[in-house]
Amino acid sequence: MEHRNANPSIACTVTSCAYHCKDQNHCSLNEIKVGCCDPKVTDCTATECASFQLGGCEHCR
């Protein structure tokens, strides 16, 4: 599945992700899954984007 359009509702600065649209600082997915490392999250460092996939900006041209 190829993702080409930036989703203006999902801001992202993780340029190493395959879904990142570098020139727009947005994600190209329709939705993302946010996960956590601890079942009792008390601060943002315990959360993460579970939709991350290592890649580059080739999906957003």
Side-chain angles (χ1 to χ4, degrees), residues 24-35:
Q24 300 172 32
N25 266 346
H26 285 89
C27 181
S28 64
L29 293 173
N30 290 328
E31 62 183 22
I32 61 169
K33 180 178 180 182
V34 177

Side-chain angles (χ1 to χ4, degrees), residues 10-17 20-22 24-27 52:
I10 306 174
C12 180
T13 59
V14 182
T15 58
S16 61
C17 182
H20 183 263
C21 293
K22 190 174 189 174
Q24 300 172 32
N25 266 346
H26 285 89
C27 181
F52 174 83

Side-chain angles (χ1 to χ4, degrees), residues 4-61:
R4 296 194 181 272
N5 299 316
N7 182 338
S9 297
I10 306 174
C12 180
T13 59
V14 182
T15 58
S16 61
C17 182
Y19 303 112
H20 183 263
C21 293
K22 190 174 189 174
D23 59 331
Q24 300 172 32
N25 266 346
H26 285 89
C27 181
S28 64
L29 293 173
N30 290 328
E31 62 183 22
I32 61 169
K33 180 178 180 182
V34 177
C36 61
C37 304
D38 183 341
K40 294 184 180 184
V41 175
T42 57
D43 92 20
C44 67
T45 60
T47 64
E48 60 186 27
C49 177
S51 299
F52 174 83
Q53 182 176 354
L54 186 60
C57 197
E58 69 273 1
H59 295 287
C60 303
R61 298 260 184 239

